Amino acid sequence: MTTETAENAGGVQPGTKKGFGLECPIADKRFQNDEVKHIWKECQEESFWYRALPLSLGSMAITGGLIYNGVWKQSKRFGPFPKLAVAGIIGYAVGKASYMGTCREKFQKLGPEFSKGFGPGWGGPGCGGPGGCGHKHCTHVCQECKKTEEAGAASAKPAQS
C-alpha cells in the first residue's frame, strides 16, 4: 500500500500541470510562507489600531462638534447619526488606505518575488506581462518560459534575414 495523493498517482510531479507544462512554484496558491501570513496579520492589526480607528473616531468627533456648534445641520428625521456614520466610514477607509505604503515596504523586505508587485501584468515581459508565457500570476521568469522565448527568438531570426 502506498500513500500517494491522487495527483501523484497519475504520474504528475508536484509543480506541474497536466497538458500545460510547468507551473510556477512561487505562484502556487497553496504556497503561503509563514512570514507572509505574519506580515499580513500584522498589517491588518496595525492599520486598524494605528490609522483606521483613530481617523474614524477623530472624523466622527469633528463632525459631531460641527453639528453641535450649528455649522452643519442635523437631519430632521435621523438626527446627527447619518453624518456621523459617513464620517466614521470615510475616516476608516482613509486610515486603511494610508497604511498601504507601510505594508508594501514590509512585503518588499521579504525578497524579490514581492518587490515587483502583485496581480496580473506586474511581471513585465516575463511571466504575466505582454508577450508572456501565460503564467499571469507570476512576477518572475520561469525556466520553461525562458526556453520558450529563446526558441521563439531563434526561429524568428532566420525568417527575418
Side-chain angles (χ1 to χ4, degrees):
M1 290 233 156
T2 61
T3 57
E4 289 182 334
T5 62
E7 186 176 300
N8 286 341
V12 178
Q13 295 294 324
T16 63
K17 283 185 175 178
K18 293 182 181 178
F20 295 112
L22 293 176
E23 181 181 324
C24 173
I26 292 176
D28 187 4
K29 291 180 182 178
R30 296 168 287 165
F31 173 76
Q32 288 233 336
N33 195 348
D34 289 334
E35 291 179 44
V36 173
K37 289 180 183 178
H38 175 73
I39 289 176
W40 181 256
K41 185 177 179 183
E42 184 178 291
C43 281
Q44 292 297 317
E45 289 179 4
E46 288 178 0
S47 68
F48 176 77
W49 289 108
Y50 299 132
R51 301 276 178 93
L53 185 66
L55 280 175
S56 179
L57 294 176
S59 64
M60 289 173 68
I62 290 170
T63 302
L66 290 172
I67 292 172
Y68 180 76
N69 289 331
V71 176
W72 284 354
K73 304 274 187 224
Q74 292 186 27
S75 169
K76 291 181 181 178
R77 185 172 182 185
F78 300 109
F81 299 114
K83 288 183 174 76
L84 290 173
V86 169
I89 291 169
I90 290 173
Y92 181 84
V94 168
K96 282 286 195 174
S98 70
Y99 206 75
M100 275 188 356
T102 306
C103 284
R104 185 177 296 126
E105 290 173 7
K106 289 181 181 186
F107 279 111
Q108 286 177 348
K109 289 178 185 177
L110 283 181
E113 64 266 13
F114 295 105
S115 64
K116 292 182 182 178
F118 299 101
W122 287 75
C127 297
C133 61
H135 298 277
K136 296 234 181 244
H137 52 275
C138 295
T139 58
H140 72 288
V141 179
C142 304
Q143 294 298 327
E144 188 70 23
C145 299
K146 287 180 184 178
K147 290 177 187 176
T148 306
E149 289 175 2
E150 289 173 2
S155 65
K157 283 186 180 181
Q160 292 176 354
S161 303

